[in-house]
């Protein structure tokens, strides 16, 4: 279990290589002059506006999802599939909370 948790540690080599790989993929996939169409730009703004909230709640959601789905920490799904599932769940939660009148002033 400790080895699996070290993959997610921001100070581990995995915590450096995975975000770097994602950044390089998008940097080389889209030219520097690329501009999204208005609808895509609006979605990108929403997603980027929810990123701090996603960061704040993601550890809590990881614990809930792994508990209820009985995902072993050393499984390949835990390493590759769980981050996407947790990100989507967190994003949905934050986007919903940002629509609640009182909470939208509190939620980052």
């Amino acid at each position: 279990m400790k080895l699996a948790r070290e993959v997610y540690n921001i100070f581990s080599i995995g915590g450096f290589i995975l975000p770097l790989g994602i950044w390089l993929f998008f940097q080389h996939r889209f030219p520097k002059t690329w501009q999204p169409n208005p609808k895509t730009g609006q979605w990108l703004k929403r997603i980027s506006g929810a990123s701090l909230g996603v960061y704040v709640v993601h550890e809590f959601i990881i614990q809930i999802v792994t508990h209820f789905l009985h995902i072993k920490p050393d499984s390949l799904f835990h390493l590759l599939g769980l981050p996407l599932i947790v990100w989507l769940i967190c994003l949905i939660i934050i986007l919903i909370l940002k629509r609640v009148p009182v909470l939208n002033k509190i939620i980052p």
Side-chain angles (χ1 to χ4, degrees), residues 32-80:
K32 292 184 183 208
T33 57
W34 178 77
Q35 290 293 319
N37 63 39
K39 192 172 186 176
T40 304
Q42 186 177 13
W43 270 104
L44 289 173
K45 279 184 182 180
R46 268 193 205 143
I47 291 171
S48 66
S51 62
L52 179 60
V54 168
Y55 175 74
V56 169
V57 301
H58 82 278
E59 187 64 34
F60 180 67
I61 301 301
I62 289 172
Q63 297 301 323
I64 291 173
V65 170
T66 54
H67 176 74
F68 284 111
L69 296 180
H70 305 290
I71 300 171
K72 295 183 191 251
D74 57 350
S75 70
L76 190 59
F77 178 75
H78 193 279
L79 182 64
L80 300 176

Side-chain angles (χ1 to χ4, degrees), residues 1-20 22 58-59 62 72-83:
M1 170 111 172
K2 184 175 180 345
L3 181 63
R5 293 303 296 162
E6 288 301 315
V7 172
Y8 296 114
N9 187 344
I10 194 166
F11 300 111
S12 72
I13 192 72
F16 175 74
I17 290 177
L18 185 60
L20 179 64
I22 293 169
H58 82 278
E59 187 64 34
I62 289 172
K72 295 183 191 251
D74 57 350
S75 70
L76 190 59
F77 178 75
H78 193 279
L79 182 64
L80 300 176
L82 189 64

Side-chain angles (χ1 to χ4, degrees), residues 21-33:
I22 293 169
W23 179 74
L24 286 173
F25 170 78
F26 283 103
Q27 184 183 28
H28 292 297
R29 176 74 172 99
F30 298 103
K32 292 184 183 208
T33 57

